[in-house]
Amino acid sequence: MTSATLLTPGSTATRPGGDRPGPTTRAAERAYVQVLVVLDTAVLAVAILVGYVARFGDEQPSGSEIPYVVVAPALLLIWLVSLRAMRCYDDRVLGYGADEYRRVSAASLRLAGAIAIVGYIAEFGVSRGFLAISFAVGTVGLEVARFAARKRLHRARDRGAGWSRKVLVVGDTAHVLELVHTLRREPYAGYQVVGACIPDALLAPVPQRLGDVPVVGSFRGIPEAATAIGADTVAVTASGELTATRLRRLGWQLEGTGIDLVVAPALTDVAGPRIHTRPVAGLPLIHVEAPEFRGGRKLVKGLVDRSMSLLALLLLLPLLVVIALAVKLNSRGPVLFRQVRVGQGGKEFGVFKFRTMVVNADALLAELAARNETDGLMFKMRDDPRVTRVGKLLRKWSLDELPQLANVLLGQMSLVGPRPPLPSEVARYDGDVARRLLVKPGMTGLWQVSGRSDLSWEDGIRLDLYYVENWSLAADLAILWKTFGAVLRSRGAY
């Protein structure tokens, strides 16, 4: 029987009927994999060369029974085989999620461990320094190359090009529309919806569309509909008519066709580490762990926050002095602006920022309320007349927020977290939005690396709540890394 995957955030589809890719994506997928193989080969060749030069320099290697002219290409070949054996070129992990990076690291580290053990037993005398440097440089280089290739693929997918799966969505109309919206929210994930199948009772005798998605059939002819529109993935969402028996038979029908079958549960915005699938009596039950709001990991996060903020303040001190002088000379008023915000547990605190507006900015807000360019509870204007000339520059590069490092050092904020809200915003929170206050607000977060002020209120809240329930130290480091790119692009900064 064809295997079905639970399509959850950060996961990819399991290939039904073997590892054969879908007919419409085979050529593009093969080309992308070939590029990765060439990149990996080049990276490993450079890493081995760096290891040799760093260890021996101009000296002639001695003490090895095997000449390095043989060792180097053999190591390169074995390393590539290890990557293949760990399925680092499997399309199910390429282009999205963290599995690709984990597999690349695992393949390199396991190979390094195996060579170390064999070398100790066989005593073939290859320099440990050479191997250590080669594996260190190679592992990092592989990750960087995969990251660069993925970013290029994401840019192509954002333009509607690049290698993407063509998806036929199956389910009730409401659930189909919800899944279509979710997949289109992140086009770089590579799921392009090309059609939908709905229950027989809802099928009309005339052509139908769900939004701009054409309805191409009912539940009776899902494989035929997928073949007709060139879909290589069938995504099944909730429907009362799709019983376990019908879903199992659909898997059988897709066997050998090269078409993926994925199952999208109603559970959304839950990160992979909190999800565990366990087969019980033939049922793939999804176990969801509760969010972690306290404990050892939280203590480590707080220690990392304070240490990094102290180091950043010391390193950025000259820049902070220059910015302070620029603010003071540009317009009258204090250099720092202290605004009351709401932190963890609803506790209010004063957030520090370099002043970017005129001194009577709050008094002018009422006059500009009608020109608000965002929905929800926030006020944003692209050309806010209250912003000073220096303030525009500071906001463009997010330099006005650097004093918040002091808030992090004081334990009032975190480096990564939800946006710190105003008391007036919190007063209008409903029960769901109030969950943002379960963790410390952050200097940066998913909202910042995903568009900042260009995001709608709904999307900003969704990202904040996703972070609150799925935070991790690894995710924090990833967000901090992405923040540099977001700042350089100045997207949504105004």
Side-chain angles (χ1 to χ4, degrees), residues 36-316:
L36 289 182
V37 172
V38 172
L39 279 175
D40 291 348
T41 304
V43 167
L44 296 182
V46 171
I48 293 171
L49 179 60
V50 169
Y52 182 88
V53 173
R55 172 61 182 84
F56 300 110
D58 297 331
E59 300 177 6
Q60 185 68 25
S62 60
S64 174
E65 300 176 0
I66 308 174
Y68 279 84
V69 70
V70 176
V71 171
L75 178 58
L76 174 60
L77 179 60
I78 295 173
W79 207 333
L80 289 173
V81 171
S82 178
L83 291 173
R84 176 70 68 177
M86 286 294 295
R87 306 183 74 177
C88 296
Y89 302 105
D90 191 335
D91 72 305
R92 288 169 289 190
V93 302
L94 295 179
Y96 191 73
D99 278 350
E100 179 179 3
Y101 300 120
R102 281 196 290 264
R103 292 191 185 189
V104 168
S105 295
S108 301
L109 295 176
R110 290 184 182 184
L111 178 60
I115 290 178
I117 294 173
V118 172
Y120 177 77
I121 296 175
E123 297 182 353
F124 51 69
V126 176
S127 170
R128 296 176 184 176
F130 161 72
L131 292 174
I133 296 172
S134 297
F135 275 107
V137 175
T139 302
V140 174
L142 288 173
E143 299 286 11
V144 172
R146 291 296 180 106
F147 177 80
R150 176 179 290 195
K151 287 303 177 183
R152 183 175 181 181
L153 177 63
H154 287 178
R155 287 193 294 269
R157 284 174 171 174
D158 285 337
R159 298 192 305 267
W163 160 51
S164 295
R165 296 173 178 84
K166 298 186 183 299
V167 182
L168 172 67
V169 181
V170 179
D172 292 339
T173 55
H175 293 100
V176 165
L177 288 171
E178 184 176 357
L179 181 56
V180 169
H181 174 70
T182 300
L183 294 179
R184 288 182 174 175
R185 196 164 55 204
E186 298 181 354
Y188 57 84
Y191 288 89
Q192 179 185 358
V193 179
V194 294
C197 285
I198 59 178
D200 301 303
L202 301 177
L203 202 62
V206 296
Q208 292 174 263
R209 303 184 75 86
L210 297 179
D212 59 350
V213 177
V215 176
V216 295
S218 68
F219 292 174
R220 296 180 183 275
I222 295 174
E224 294 78 9
T227 302
I229 63 174
D232 50 62
T233 301
V234 173
V236 178
T237 184
S239 174
E241 293 188 24
L242 280 174
T243 62
T245 300
R246 294 190 69 171
L247 186 58
R248 184 169 64 251
R249 288 174 179 168
L250 175 60
W252 293 341
Q253 292 171 341
L254 294 177
E255 282 182 356
T257 64
I259 299 177
D260 283 341
L261 174 63
V262 298
V263 179
L267 187 69
T268 59
D269 287 335
V270 180
R274 289 180 54 210
I275 296 176
H276 302 281
T277 305
R278 301 173 186 172
V280 177
L283 296 176
L285 299 182
I286 302 177
H287 291 249
V288 182
E289 295 182 357
E292 185 175 345
F293 300 120
R294 58 180 60 88
R297 288 201 308 145
K298 276 291 185 180
L299 293 176
V300 173
K301 177 180 171 67
L303 179 62
V304 171
D305 282 338
R306 295 194 178 194
S307 300
M308 292 183 66
S309 62
L310 177 59
L311 179 62
L313 283 171
L314 294 175
L315 294 176
L316 295 174

Side-chain angles (χ1 to χ4, degrees), residues 397-422:
W397 302 108
S398 299
L399 297 175
D400 59 315
E401 298 176 1
L402 289 179
Q404 292 174 22
L405 289 168
N407 292 113
V408 177
L409 187 60
L410 293 172
Q412 299 165 331
M413 293 180 63
S414 176
L415 291 175
V416 181
R419 184 188 65 85
L422 294 166

